Amino acid sequence: MYLGLDLGTSGVKALLIDAGQSIIGSGHASLDVSRPHPGWSEQNPADWIRACEEAITELKGSHPEQLAAVKGIGLSGQMHGATLLDAGDQVLRPCILWNDTRSHAEAAKLDTDPRFRKLTGNIVFPGFTAPKLVWVKNNEPDVFAKVTKVLLPKDFLRLWLTGEHISEMSDSAGTSWLDVGKRGWSSDLLSATSLDEKQMPSLVEGTEKAGALRSELASKWGMQAAIPIAGGAGDNAASACGMGTVAAGQAFVSLGTSGVLFAANASYLPNPESAVHTFCHALPYTWHQMGVILSATDSLNWLSEISGKGAGELTTELGDTLKAPTGVSFLPYLSGERTPHNDSAIRGSFTGLAHESSRAVLTQAVLEGVAFAFRDSLEALAKAGTTLTRVTAIGGGSRSHYWLKAIATALGLPVDIPADGDFGAAFGAARLGLIAARGADPLRVCTAPATDATIEPVAALSNAYADAYQRYRLLYPAIKAATA
């Protein structure tokens, strides 16, 4: 048996698989987010430990014999969080999370230093870890003076599980301290934020062993002591391992609260100017690129809330046949946008409204706007040298075949729908635990799920969608100028 632990923003999931990668059982525990000020987002790391204990205890209750047979553990987790520890490994303050924007001024200043984009291959975003430490230095100097170690969220769980300070490449690539091409900490970038390498965890690849389960915890859960724990991965890279998106040319589109267009790469292909994330993958000698939409299904949920109709009801009103764009356009920038604009201040809009613009027309515009935002990410990846021939759809929004038809037509690519199953971050983490424990070939383990169906672009609407996308592209600079 192999155990995957995924530390998300809203909860911890523990997933158990057998040697054939069949899912045996799972446990879950919820987490809350604290927002003490506008733009702030924090969690108490002690809550992560509590949630992990609860999830594993649930799994022990339902599958005690299988849990006792675990031979490897993998970790995945929310990225970018700043978990600050003192010399005794005590937490100094609540963890500043990935969606916290308090360090926007610090991020902008670091981004003017050309070394950051050159070495990391990325813009310094406010959500990344490095600017958060500069904010702490500027605003909580007493805390900053005590910082002995900075850990990412899942690696704080690793410290509790193993007693060791270790991270891996995919998660560390989102800190703005990693030389992403060379896969190692940059002393220059650390120095630019008044830190040094001694304050960082050691680094391994996601498929390598990175500590072993402490005997105290093993005894409590009825598990074997010294079970190897894999380096693991950040949440998106772990999901990619679960989806089998690990070789060049493979890609998925995640239609969740936020949206991600994720492409695996065999080489380092940065393009920071278009706000594409270029990170190390969880597998050795591989990288990945991501275009990120901040409000994907969140846009439909927003329309659902103000219209008083469920999201499923709204999409059902459109029927099954893809319609030509109506001339009403929607920018899905309800909380700013990442790719390609890197603009936290921009906000969404409807344009082209008329008396005849019904609720269904607004729903259609929202779905198209998100589809065009994915097209923006596809264009940004293309500028970085990544060519895609198809994508696999995951996430809650992928249950809408109308939406997938819109995305396929906007991208000009077939969209594969995987057969039923759980291919998320916890599954990818369990796969990494299997690889580390058995020394298995990652490409033989991280295979793609069977395809249940494929949605092709609607050729008859390709020109209409191309015209609508060009209208969409003209709106951002117009809205930006009007609100500047």
Side-chain angles (χ1 to χ4, degrees), residues 22 43 62 80 127 145 150 178 202 223-224 232 254 267 318 379 390 453 458:
S22 294
Q43 283 179 331
S62 59
H80 314 304
V150 181
L178 195 78
S202 60
M223 300 171 70
Q224 302 172 43
S254 176
S267 59
L318 299 179
E379 298 289 336
R390 64 193 314 113
V458 179

mmCIF file of all heavy atoms in Angstrom, residues 22 43 62 80 127 145 150 178 202 223-224 232 254 267 318 379 390 453 458:
data_model
loop_
_atom_site.group_PDB
_atom_site.id
_atom_site.type_symbol
_atom_site.label_atom_id
_atom_site.label_comp_id
_atom_site.label_asym_id
_atom_site.label_seq_id
_atom_site.Cartn_x
_atom_site.Cartn_y
_atom_site.Cartn_z
ATOM 1 N N SER A 22 -4.735 0.995 -7.621
ATOM 2 C CA SER A 22 -6.168 1.104 -7.383
ATOM 3 C C SER A 22 -6.384 1.851 -6.069
ATOM 4 O O SER A 22 -5.652 1.618 -5.092
ATOM 5 C CB SER A 22 -6.812 -0.281 -7.300
ATOM 6 O OG SER A 22 -6.726 -0.937 -8.554
ATOM 7 N N GLN A 43 -3.136 30.809 7.690
ATOM 8 C CA GLN A 43 -3.543 29.605 8.411
ATOM 9 C C GLN A 43 -2.528 29.321 9.511
ATOM 10 O O GLN A 43 -1.341 29.646 9.374
ATOM 11 C CB GLN A 43 -3.651 28.394 7.476
ATOM 12 C CG GLN A 43 -4.900 28.395 6.628
ATOM 13 C CD GLN A 43 -5.004 27.221 5.682
ATOM 14 O OE1 GLN A 43 -3.999 26.677 5.226
ATOM 15 N NE2 GLN A 43 -6.235 26.836 5.346
ATOM 16 N N SER A 62 -11.361 2.946 8.818
ATOM 17 C CA SER A 62 -11.998 2.191 7.736
ATOM 18 C C SER A 62 -11.090 1.135 7.116
ATOM 19 O O SER A 62 -11.584 0.133 6.582
ATOM 20 C CB SER A 62 -12.481 3.153 6.645
ATOM 21 O OG SER A 62 -11.401 3.903 6.121
ATOM 22 N N HIS A 80 3.641 28.148 -2.191
ATOM 23 C CA HIS A 80 4.012 29.555 -1.938
ATOM 24 C C HIS A 80 3.878 30.018 -0.497
ATOM 25 O O HIS A 80 4.319 31.118 -0.162
ATOM 26 C CB HIS A 80 3.191 30.508 -2.819
ATOM 27 C CG HIS A 80 3.089 30.121 -4.253
ATOM 28 N ND1 HIS A 80 4.190 29.899 -5.048
ATOM 29 C CD2 HIS A 80 2.002 29.923 -5.053
ATOM 30 C CE1 HIS A 80 3.794 29.575 -6.266
ATOM 31 N NE2 HIS A 80 2.472 29.579 -6.292
ATOM 32 N N GLY A 127 1.935 36.601 -4.502
ATOM 33 C CA GLY A 127 1.628 35.337 -3.835
ATOM 34 C C GLY A 127 2.831 34.468 -3.565
ATOM 35 O O GLY A 127 2.740 33.506 -2.788
ATOM 36 N N ALA A 145 13.826 38.620 12.607
ATOM 37 C CA ALA A 145 15.125 38.397 13.239
ATOM 38 C C ALA A 145 15.258 36.990 13.820
ATOM 39 O O ALA A 145 16.375 36.486 13.993
ATOM 40 C CB ALA A 145 15.350 39.436 14.333
ATOM 41 N N VAL A 150 12.618 28.635 6.751
ATOM 42 C CA VAL A 150 11.397 28.955 6.010
ATOM 43 C C VAL A 150 10.958 27.677 5.295
ATOM 44 O O VAL A 150 11.729 27.115 4.501
ATOM 45 C CB VAL A 150 11.633 30.077 4.978
ATOM 46 C CG1 VAL A 150 10.335 30.402 4.244
ATOM 47 C CG2 VAL A 150 12.207 31.317 5.650
ATOM 48 N N LEU A 178 14.554 29.974 -6.135
ATOM 49 C CA LEU A 178 15.173 28.823 -6.795
ATOM 50 C C LEU A 178 15.692 29.213 -8.174
ATOM 51 O O LEU A 178 15.002 29.896 -8.932
ATOM 52 C CB LEU A 178 14.172 27.680 -6.949
ATOM 53 C CG LEU A 178 14.784 26.319 -7.294
ATOM 54 C CD1 LEU A 178 15.400 25.679 -6.055
ATOM 55 C CD2 LEU A 178 13.733 25.373 -7.890
ATOM 56 N N SER A 202 16.919 21.520 2.753
ATOM 57 C CA SER A 202 17.671 20.857 1.692
ATOM 58 C C SER A 202 16.710 20.438 0.588
ATOM 59 O O SER A 202 15.493 20.383 0.794
ATOM 60 C CB SER A 202 18.424 19.643 2.240
ATOM 61 O OG SER A 202 17.511 18.706 2.791
ATOM 62 N N MET A 223 1.145 1.783 11.860
ATOM 63 C CA MET A 223 1.952 1.650 10.647
ATOM 64 C C MET A 223 3.370 1.210 11.002
ATOM 65 O O MET A 223 3.784 1.245 12.163
ATOM 66 C CB MET A 223 1.984 2.982 9.890
ATOM 67 C CG MET A 223 0.611 3.463 9.453
ATOM 68 S SD MET A 223 0.616 5.152 8.779
ATOM 69 C CE MET A 223 1.493 4.895 7.236
ATOM 70 N N GLN A 224 4.120 0.813 9.989
ATOM 71 C CA GLN A 224 5.512 0.440 10.202
ATOM 72 C C GLN A 224 6.369 1.691 10.391
ATOM 73 O O GLN A 224 6.108 2.720 9.770
ATOM 74 C CB GLN A 224 6.028 -0.351 8.996
ATOM 75 C CG GLN A 224 5.236 -1.613 8.704
ATOM 76 C CD GLN A 224 5.647 -2.250 7.395
ATOM 77 O OE1 GLN A 224 6.824 -2.348 7.084
ATOM 78 N NE2 GLN A 224 4.656 -2.702 6.628
ATOM 79 N N GLY A 232 7.831 14.478 -3.017
ATOM 80 C CA GLY A 232 6.480 14.928 -3.313
ATOM 81 C C GLY A 232 6.443 16.057 -4.315
ATOM 82 O O GLY A 232 7.322 16.178 -5.169
ATOM 83 N N SER A 254 -7.463 22.650 -16.151
ATOM 84 C CA SER A 254 -8.174 22.454 -14.896
ATOM 85 C C SER A 254 -9.209 23.554 -14.746
ATOM 86 O O SER A 254 -8.871 24.735 -14.645
ATOM 87 C CB SER A 254 -7.203 22.484 -13.714
ATOM 88 O OG SER A 254 -7.900 22.397 -12.484
ATOM 89 N N SER A 267 12.402 20.425 -21.195
ATOM 90 C CA SER A 267 13.492 21.385 -21.004
ATOM 91 C C SER A 267 12.932 22.637 -20.350
ATOM 92 O O SER A 267 11.715 22.802 -20.220
ATOM 93 C CB SER A 267 14.166 21.726 -22.339
ATOM 94 O OG SER A 267 13.222 22.266 -23.249
ATOM 95 N N LEU A 318 -28.511 26.466 -21.620
ATOM 96 C CA LEU A 318 -27.859 26.639 -22.925
ATOM 97 C C LEU A 318 -28.055 25.430 -23.830
ATOM 98 O O LEU A 318 -27.808 25.518 -25.046
ATOM 99 C CB LEU A 318 -26.357 26.898 -22.738
ATOM 100 C CG LEU A 318 -25.986 28.158 -21.952
ATOM 101 C CD1 LEU A 318 -24.477 28.270 -21.813
ATOM 102 C CD2 LEU A 318 -26.551 29.405 -22.634
ATOM 103 N N GLU A 379 -1.766 30.955 -25.919
ATOM 104 C CA GLU A 379 -0.913 31.841 -26.714
ATOM 105 C C GLU A 379 0.384 32.149 -25.960
ATOM 106 O O GLU A 379 1.467 32.211 -26.554
ATOM 107 C CB GLU A 379 -1.654 33.142 -27.026
ATOM 108 C CG GLU A 379 -2.914 32.985 -27.856
ATOM 109 C CD GLU A 379 -2.628 32.610 -29.301
ATOM 110 O OE1 GLU A 379 -1.519 32.903 -29.770
ATOM 111 O OE2 GLU A 379 -3.513 32.018 -29.940
ATOM 112 N N ARG A 390 -3.469 18.550 -27.899
ATOM 113 C CA ARG A 390 -4.705 18.195 -27.235
ATOM 114 C C ARG A 390 -4.529 18.452 -25.747
ATOM 115 O O ARG A 390 -3.409 18.578 -25.255
ATOM 116 C CB ARG A 390 -5.117 16.742 -27.497
ATOM 117 C CG ARG A 390 -4.167 15.703 -26.952
ATOM 118 C CD ARG A 390 -4.445 14.302 -27.515
ATOM 119 N NE ARG A 390 -5.855 13.927 -27.514
ATOM 120 C CZ ARG A 390 -6.564 13.748 -28.641
ATOM 121 N NH1 ARG A 390 -5.998 13.921 -29.817
ATOM 122 N NH2 ARG A 390 -7.829 13.385 -28.566
ATOM 123 N N ALA A 453 -14.190 10.089 -23.289
ATOM 124 C CA ALA A 453 -14.746 10.740 -24.475
ATOM 125 C C ALA A 453 -13.816 11.871 -24.885
ATOM 126 O O ALA A 453 -13.002 12.358 -24.092
ATOM 127 C CB ALA A 453 -16.145 11.276 -24.201
ATOM 128 N N VAL A 458 -15.699 22.759 -32.569
ATOM 129 C CA VAL A 458 -16.832 22.843 -33.502
ATOM 130 C C VAL A 458 -16.370 23.663 -34.704
ATOM 131 O O VAL A 458 -16.306 24.903 -34.651
ATOM 132 C CB VAL A 458 -18.054 23.479 -32.826
ATOM 133 C CG1 VAL A 458 -19.217 23.589 -33.816
ATOM 134 C CG2 VAL A 458 -18.471 22.666 -31.599
#
